[in-house]
Amino acid sequence: MNTKNSVKVVLRDAATSTTVLKLSSASATLPTTEYEVEEGERECEIPTASLPSGVYGITLVEDGIPVESRKVLK
């Protein structure tokens, strides 16, 4: 069981002004949440303390285009 209160996302390249991370529940029971990543940053913390246990998808979006996705378990 994951008891951490956040997930650290490390980017391969520095974020641009249009970099966004989208967090969605695999069961689609919660709305998708967007997290802006500051330009030049290479990592972002996504808070998970208030999320129920389950599987979530994190999608890296650049210029409105999904670039990469990963699943995380809480």
Side-chain angles (χ1 to χ4, degrees), residues 1-73:
M1 180 166 70
N2 184 355
T3 58
K4 295 173 75 174
N5 291 324
S6 66
V7 171
K8 181 191 270 188
V9 179
V10 179
L11 307 176
R12 292 181 193 184
D13 299 310
T16 67
S17 62
T18 63
T19 301
V20 175
L21 291 171
K22 291 187 177 187
L23 176 72
S24 57
S25 95
S27 63
T29 56
L30 299 172
T32 298
T33 306
E34 289 190 9
Y35 297 89
E36 292 183 21
V37 184
E38 289 189 38
E39 188 171 359
E41 291 294 319
R42 296 189 68 99
E43 60 184 49
C44 178
E45 291 276 336
I46 295 179
T48 59
S50 65
L51 298 175
S53 295
V55 178
Y56 294 86
I58 299 175
T59 303
L60 173 65
V61 179
E62 295 280 354
D63 293 321
I65 300 169
V67 175
E68 188 174 350
S69 293
R70 297 278 190 244
K71 289 183 181 176
V72 293
L73 180 64

